[in-house]
Amino acid sequence: MSGDSFMGLLAPNLRPLRMFLRAKLRIPDQADDVLQQSLLHAFAHRDQLRLGSKFKSWLWTIAFNEMRMLFRAERGTISLDEFPNIDPSDRAPSSLARVEQIERREWLHAGMAKLSDRDRTVLRMCDLDGLSIAETAEALAISKAAAKSIHFRARKRLAYALTHYSTGKRKRNECQPT
C-alpha cells in the first residue's frame, strides 16, 4: 500500500478515532500521544493489512492496543520484597470446608432438637461450654455419678439421632430428580 492510498483511507477515520480517544483518556495530550503512536504504527506496518480486511477496524485495533500499552505503562508496581513480613497465603477456609461446616451445624441442631431438655442441657454444659462433670453436677444440683451417666447417655442418643438424620436426608435426596 502506498503512502497516498494510506492517507486516502486514513482521512475519513481520523476525526472519529481522535474523538474516541479523547473521550476514553480524558486528557487531550495523552489522547494525542496515543493517536500519534497508532498512526505511526499503522503507517509502518501498512503492508500487513490484508486485502480483505477493513481499514477502519484494523486502525482502531491498533489504537486500542496503543491505549492498553499506555495504561500498562502507567500502572504502578510494588515489589513484594519491600514488604518482607507479608504472608500472601489465604487462611480462610475453602468453600467446600465452609459448606461442610454449615452442614455439620445443621445436623447438630437437628440432632439436639430430638433430645430431651435434660440431655441438651448436659451436652451444652459439658461439650459446648467446657464445664467438667463435677461443675455440671453442681450447676444442675445432681450427683457427679448422675451427671456422668446423663452425659454418656445423652451423647449416645445424639449419635443415634445424627446417624438417622443424615441417612434420612440422604434417602430423601436420592428420590429427588437431578
Side-chain angles (χ1 to χ4, degrees):
M1 175 186 307
S2 68
D4 292 336
S5 61
F6 180 80
M7 290 305 291
L9 292 171
L10 180 64
N13 294 301
L14 190 58
R15 183 170 157 70
L17 185 58
R18 176 180 281 137
M19 287 173 39
F20 171 77
L21 289 172
R22 285 193 176 184
K24 281 293 184 188
L25 296 173
R26 295 193 180 125
I27 299 174
D29 291 339
Q30 281 184 338
D32 291 339
D33 289 345
V34 169
L35 181 63
Q36 183 178 10
Q37 283 299 108
S38 302
L39 296 176
L40 285 172
H41 191 90
F43 187 76
H45 296 95
R46 65 186 184 274
D47 58 320
Q48 293 179 0
L49 178 64
R50 293 185 210 117
L51 295 176
S53 299
K54 300 274 187 195
F55 180 79
K56 181 179 179 180
S57 62
W58 178 72
L59 181 65
W60 281 61
T61 302
I62 292 171
F64 273 109
N65 288 336
E66 289 297 327
M67 190 169 48
R68 286 186 195 110
M69 293 301 287
L70 175 74
F71 289 144
R72 279 190 196 130
E74 288 181 350
R75 187 175 12 182
T77 59
I78 298 174
S79 172
L80 287 177
D81 296 334
E82 295 176 25
F83 302 98
N85 297 331
I86 291 179
D87 184 15
S89 61
D90 184 13
R91 289 193 172 82
S94 69
S95 299
L96 176 64
R98 284 193 302 259
V99 168
E100 287 175 342
Q101 189 177 34
I102 291 168
E103 197 171 76
R104 278 194 303 270
R105 193 176 305 131
E106 287 174 1
W107 285 356
L108 182 61
H109 285 288
M112 291 286 277
K114 292 182 178 183
L115 300 179
S116 67
D117 287 336
R118 182 184 69 170
D119 288 348
R120 272 196 302 268
T121 303
V122 170
L123 285 175
R124 278 198 184 106
M125 292 174 91
C126 290
D127 295 328
L128 301 176
D129 296 339
L131 297 178
S132 68
I133 294 292
E135 293 168 331
T136 303
E138 186 179 326
L140 296 175
I142 56 176
S143 70
K144 186 176 170 183
K148 194 181 244 184
S149 175
I150 293 169
H151 182 249
F152 176 77
R153 290 183 182 138
R155 290 186 99 191
K156 284 194 105 146
R157 287 185 192 108
L158 179 63
Y160 180 79
L162 291 176
T163 304
H164 282 76
Y165 176 76
S166 65
T167 56
K169 188 174 183 179
R170 219 177 291 131
K171 285 180 184 175
R172 278 193 308 268
N173 288 345
E174 289 171 358
C175 295
Q176 295 175 353
T178 53

